[in-house]
Amino acid sequence: MSKIKSYISAFRLRTLPLALSSILMGNFIAAYHLSYKWQVGILAIITTVLLQVLSNVANDYGDAVSGADNEERVGPERMVSSGKISTAAMKRTVIVFSILSFISGITLISFGNFEAMSFKAWALFLLGLGAIAAAIKYTVGKNPYGYKGMGDIFVFLFFGLTGGLGTYFLHTGTVDIWLLLPASAVGLLSAGVLNLNNLRDVENDAKTGKNTLVVKYGSEWGKKYHHFLLITALLFMVLYGAFQFHTYWQWLFLPTYILVVKNLRTVRKNEEPQLLDPELKKLALATFFMVLLSGVALLF
């Protein structure tokens, strides 16, 4: 594998649709409310992509250093643990993407619908710094929160509430309280993808001291938790459609529920954790298409 291919593999581009889901939700609803700013829309997507790649390379680096990545790990090959990218080179990559994320985030905030030096701008600036720190600290450092069972909370916050509400806020300078429902739905589904990852890796995580919620409470608990996350997300989307009903086209996203229900059935019946690996991609794409169909329905 060439160096370029190794870095592309480390970027884990397959994770981008899930990362972009809440951003697209915020963009679609802002456009529906006639408040869309194309600079914000484009920069929000660019910043999210940079943050997600930062999270992925930091995860590759952090898990290799901690020993969580080894020959027993299930899932895509990691570049540092496999020796295709050195620890020093990956650390430099983390720094580069931290700087790029910071620059893109600052530029995004400058186009927000509020005064440049206002309280709103400073609040978003601090939130942006928090997003960069969260992307790195998931597996990097002395006390990574991903090793303490806190990854689910941060995924819900940044892949759901921050992405959806934050993007809408950048467009409008206001907060739509109803947006809490679809933003939370995306956050819960994103936490579901992480939970699938933790169910798949439970044995190796337990051996290497990565104390995810599944490691702490067991796989059977993890399956019940998975059902709670996904079913609650589906209910939130239905509630949003019911209370914000304008046209029957708003229900265009409902066919994606078939994919989510299939995922629930697979998880419930699963006895071999490694067989859950394909389900991560399926649930991530189901979330992405749910948002896409929901947004298209709002606009057309």
Side-chain angles (χ1 to χ4, degrees):
M1 184 182 291
S2 68
K3 280 293 181 183
I4 293 176
K5 289 183 178 179
S6 295
Y7 277 103
I8 292 175
S9 180
F11 294 167
R12 290 165 62 197
L13 301 182
R14 74 173 189 169
T15 63
L16 294 182
L18 184 66
L20 289 170
S21 293
S22 62
I23 305 301
L24 292 176
M25 180 71 77
N27 279 334
F28 281 132
I29 295 178
Y32 175 70
H33 289 168
L34 304 179
S35 300
Y36 183 82
K37 297 181 68 176
W38 67 268
Q39 301 97 326
V40 169
I42 293 173
L43 284 167
I45 290 174
I46 292 173
T47 303
T48 300
V49 169
L50 291 171
L51 283 169
Q52 183 59 39
V53 173
L54 169 61
S55 177
N56 291 339
V57 295
N59 194 288
D60 196 307
Y61 170 81
D63 277 347
V65 171
S66 69
D69 280 345
N70 53 46
E71 63 278 359
E72 295 181 22
R73 181 184 177 275
V74 182
E77 183 181 36
R78 294 295 183 86
M79 295 300 102
V80 175
S81 61
S82 67
K84 292 182 171 64
I85 298 177
S86 69
T87 303
M90 190 61 85
K91 185 175 183 179
R92 289 194 295 270
T93 305
V94 170
I95 294 171
V96 167
F97 274 94
S98 296
I99 295 171
L100 291 175
S101 298
F102 179 80
I103 294 171
S104 182
I106 289 291
T107 308
L108 170 60
I109 293 171
S110 71
F111 282 102
N113 194 8
F114 37 75
E115 295 296 326
M117 298 301 291
S118 65
F119 172 78
K120 293 178 179 179
W122 280 108
L124 283 172
F125 173 74
L126 293 175
L127 187 62
L129 291 180
I132 294 173
I136 297 172
K137 285 292 292 179
Y138 178 62
T139 58
V140 176
K142 293 183 178 179
N143 296 295
Y145 65 86
Y147 285 33
K148 295 183 176 181
M150 297 178 64
D152 302 62
I153 296 174
F154 281 85
V155 164
F156 174 75
L157 290 175
F158 286 101
F159 280 65
L161 298 186
T162 300
L165 296 175
T167 302
Y168 183 86
F169 183 79
L170 282 159
H171 283 292
T172 66
T174 61
V175 175
D176 178 5
I177 195 68
W178 287 108
L179 191 53
L180 278 170
L181 287 171
S184 294
V186 175
L188 290 167
L189 289 168
S190 299
V193 174
L194 176 62
N195 187 56
L196 278 174
N197 183 86
N198 294 339
L199 282 167
R200 181 197 67 189
D201 295 341
V202 59
E203 295 179 4
N204 192 53
D205 285 346
K207 291 177 183 178
T208 57
K210 191 174 183 179
N211 293 314
T212 64
L213 292 179
V214 178
V215 170
K216 288 183 176 182
Y217 302 114
S219 293
E220 287 304 312
W221 178 92
K223 290 180 180 181
K224 295 176 182 178
Y225 172 59
H226 194 70
H227 279 66
F228 165 77
L229 292 173
L230 270 57
I231 292 172
T232 304
L234 300 185
L235 288 174
F236 280 176
M237 286 299 294
V238 170
L239 285 173
Y240 181 74
F243 285 106
Q244 295 291 290
F245 179 79
H246 296 284
T247 169
Y248 285 106
W249 283 107
Q250 287 178 233
W251 303 110
L252 187 62
F253 66 87
L254 286 177
T256 60
Y257 279 29
I258 297 172
L259 301 175
V260 177
V261 171
K262 284 184 176 180
N263 179 270
L264 288 172
R265 186 181 304 146
T266 300
V267 171
R268 178 171 56 83
K269 294 181 177 180
N270 178 261
E271 298 294 336
E272 299 182 46
Q274 64 270 22
L275 297 181
L276 291 174
D277 188 57
E279 296 302 313
L280 277 78
K281 181 179 180 180
K282 292 177 184 178
L283 183 56
L285 289 176
T287 304
F288 179 76
F289 285 120
M290 182 190 75
V291 170
L292 199 62
L293 290 173
S294 177
V296 169
L298 281 175
L299 297 182
F300 297 102

